[in-house]
């Protein structure tokens, strides 16, 4: 599975796929770039359907849903978009005569809602949603499949928690030195963790603490992004600058940041001279890395940098949305810190 942006890459992928399995068809989908992905888990009894949870992804559509962080309740979708998503979910559940759980994946771009896929079955997100809303969805679904109704189970309306719950993926990259850690359409995670708080930034920070490595609250940040991300990374870099981080960047990114008034110290690219990012990583002088892949076939030095960061257990983001969420989480940590409460305490308080 691969996301391709140019015809030459499509031809290369088709040639490779045909060599691997000449008798298998190839499915080609159009990618919605810079779209927000949304997961919905619902439960139905053939007559009535109740939304279990609407999860807004942190990473953009195109990252496998199992690898993307997601949030309950949503934090940026308009009321109109949310209503369209919920109405479409309920309509599909009724039309399909679902008795039990169903998962639907949507993409939202320019306020337009697209259905990516509908799965009339339990999803991997059901345990997360159940903890977020305080109701055991799998248990309820089993009882519905045994003949009970939502009315009998006293689950007839969506629960909107007053706290934020963030699911984050856990990856095994530390066990595979040299493997590129960028996220894409193929699932690579091997586990999940969850962070909860009434503050979205703190909830995200807690999830990062559990997934390891935790987000730093100070130090040095290295920024090196592909050309199409250079302007978009400026406000994120400015946020890290305001938070007191010292910014390092390679030539192209440094020029854009400095021109925008964000001071960035220059680091050489690997093979061009020293100091470079590997020097700072090896010396323990780097604390956070923002590095978006340059293309379909990442340059070798990008893979080396990302692999070295994983080995050194340095927090790193390979998407701008992940970096933006991280800066917001760091600000929340610096402003308020965090406390710990049990699931029961969160659900007792509303």
């Amino acid at each position: 599975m691969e996301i391709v942006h140019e015809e030459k890459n499509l031809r290369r992928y088709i040639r490779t796929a045909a060599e691997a399995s000449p008798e298998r068809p190839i499915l080609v989908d159009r990618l919605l770039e810079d779209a927000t992905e949304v997961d919905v888990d619902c439960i139905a009894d053939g007559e009535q359907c109740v939304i279990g949870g609407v999860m807004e992804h942190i990473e953009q559509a195109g990252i496998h849903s199992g690898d993307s962080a997601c949030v309950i309740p949503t934090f940026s979708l308009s009321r109109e978009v949310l209503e369209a998503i919920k109405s479409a979910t309920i309509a599909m559940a009724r039309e399909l005569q679902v008795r039990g759980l169903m998962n639907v994946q949507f993409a939202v771009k320019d306020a337009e809602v697209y259905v990516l896929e509908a799965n009339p079955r339990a999803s991997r997100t059901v345990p997360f949603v159940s903890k977020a809303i305080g109701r055991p969805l799998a248990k309820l679904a089993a009882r519905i499949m045994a003949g009970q109704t939502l009315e009998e189970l006293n689950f007839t309306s969506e629960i909107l928690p007053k706290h934020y719950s963030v699911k984050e993926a856990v990856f095994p990259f530390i066990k595979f030195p040299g493997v590129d850690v960028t996220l894409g359409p193929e699932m690579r995670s091997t586990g999940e963790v969850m962070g909860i708080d009434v503050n979205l930034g703190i909830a995200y920070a807690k999830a990062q603490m559990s997934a390891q490595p935790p987000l730093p609250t100070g130090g040095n940040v290295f920024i090196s992004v592909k050309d199409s991300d250079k302007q978009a990374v400026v406000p994120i870099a400015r946020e890290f600058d305001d938070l007191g981080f010292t910014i390092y960047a390679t030539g192209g990114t440094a020029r854009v940041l400095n021109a925008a008034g964000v001071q960035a110290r220059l680091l050489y690219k690997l093979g061009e001279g020293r100091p470079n990012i590997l020097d700072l990583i090896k010396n323990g002088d780097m604390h956070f890395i923002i590095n978006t892949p340059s293309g379909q076939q990442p340059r070798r030095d990008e893979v080396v940098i990302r692999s070295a960061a994983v080995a050194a257990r340095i927090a790193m983001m390979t998407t701008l949305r992940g970096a933006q969420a991280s800066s917001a989480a760091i600000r929340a940590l610096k402003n308020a810190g965090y406390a710990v409460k049990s699931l029961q305490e969160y659900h007792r308080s509303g």
Side-chain angles (χ1 to χ4, degrees):
M1 192 181 298
E2 197 167 299
I3 298 175
V4 296
H5 298 273
E6 300 175 353
E7 183 178 331
K8 64 178 182 180
N9 290 329
L10 178 61
R11 290 182 178 276
R12 173 190 54 76
Y13 180 78
I14 291 176
R15 184 172 60 252
T16 304
E19 291 172 356
S21 184
E23 298 180 359
R24 298 290 183 181
I26 296 173
L27 175 64
V28 179
D29 286 329
R30 181 170 65 92
L31 174 68
L32 288 170
E33 293 193 271
D34 299 320
T36 299
E37 188 162 342
V38 180
D39 255 278
V40 182
D41 280 331
C42 69
I43 186 168
D45 59 11
E47 297 293 333
Q48 189 177 7
C49 176
V50 177
I51 300 296
V54 181
M55 294 155 274
E56 181 175 351
H57 289 212
I58 298 291
E59 283 76 18
Q60 70 275 15
I63 304 300
H64 193 285
S65 60
D67 289 352
S68 180
C70 64
V71 182
I72 296 176
T74 61
F75 57 91
S76 72
L77 302 179
S78 68
R79 180 180 300 177
E80 292 75 19
V81 166
L82 273 174
E83 286 304 314
I85 287 172
K86 293 176 183 179
S87 297
T89 300
I90 293 170
M92 283 186 278
R94 287 175 173 165
E95 184 68 23
L96 293 170
Q97 285 292 292
V98 172
R99 287 175 172 80
L101 288 161
M102 185 177 80
N103 172 267
V104 187
Q105 295 176 20
F106 296 90
V108 180
K109 183 174 175 63
D110 300 327
E112 189 164 356
V113 178
Y114 299 82
V115 178
L116 299 180
E117 59 182 77
N119 301 296
R121 56 162 173 77
S123 168
R124 74 176 67 83
T125 52
V126 167
F128 166 66
V129 176
S130 297
K131 290 181 175 67
I133 67 172
R135 294 299 298 272
L137 294 182
K139 183 176 182 179
L140 296 177
R143 289 186 171 182
I144 286 172
M145 289 187 283
Q148 290 187 270
T149 66
L150 286 165
E151 193 78 38
E152 292 171 334
L153 296 171
N154 193 30
F155 189 64
T156 57
S157 60
E158 180 185 2
I159 296 173
L160 295 174
K162 295 180 181 179
H163 55 268
Y164 288 98
S165 298
V166 177
K167 175 187 76 72
E168 181 58 282
V170 177
F171 299 93
F173 298 132
I174 191 70
K175 299 178 181 179
F176 300 96
V179 171
D180 193 12
V181 303
T182 53
L183 304 180
E186 292 180 311
M187 183 172 170
R188 309 178 78 182
S189 63
T190 52
E192 296 176 345
V193 295
M194 181 176 178
I196 306 177
D197 202 273
V198 293
N199 180 292
L200 175 57
I202 298 296
Y204 184 79
K206 287 179 177 179
Q208 298 306 313
M209 292 175 198
S210 301
Q212 293 292 322
L215 296 173
T217 54
N220 299 324
V221 55
F222 172 69
I223 304 176
S224 180
V225 298
K226 60 185 177 183
D227 290 343
S228 59
D229 287 341
K230 282 184 168 51
Q231 292 300 325
V233 83
V234 170
I236 298 173
R238 184 172 288 115
E239 178 72 2
F240 275 95
D241 185 47
D242 290 343
L243 288 168
F245 284 80
T246 300
I247 298 174
Y248 290 83
T250 49
T253 304
R255 283 192 295 273
V256 171
L257 294 179
N258 287 321
V262 181
Q263 184 177 358
R265 300 184 182 184
L266 179 64
L267 287 178
Y268 290 105
K269 292 183 178 180
L270 305 189
E272 289 184 353
R274 305 180 78 169
N276 58 50
I277 180 58
L278 289 186
D279 294 323
L280 273 69
I281 290 175
K282 291 176 182 177
N283 292 337
D285 294 329
M286 189 52 59
H287 307 94
F288 191 74
I289 291 176
I290 302 171
N291 180 231
T292 61
S294 61
Q296 204 55 49
Q297 294 297 311
R299 291 193 297 265
R300 180 180 176 277
D301 56 350
E302 293 178 357
V303 178
V304 170
I305 291 169
R306 292 192 284 264
S307 181
V310 170
R313 299 186 181 275
I314 297 171
M316 174 175 55
M317 292 292 159
T318 60
T319 67
L320 293 188
R321 290 184 63 151
Q324 188 174 29
S326 297
S327 66
I330 292 169
R331 181 171 293 281
L333 282 175
K334 290 172 73 75
N335 288 343
Y338 68 93
V340 176
K341 291 200 305 185
S342 67
L343 280 172
Q344 292 82 354
E345 289 176 288
Y346 277 109
H347 295 308
R348 276 200 300 268
S349 62

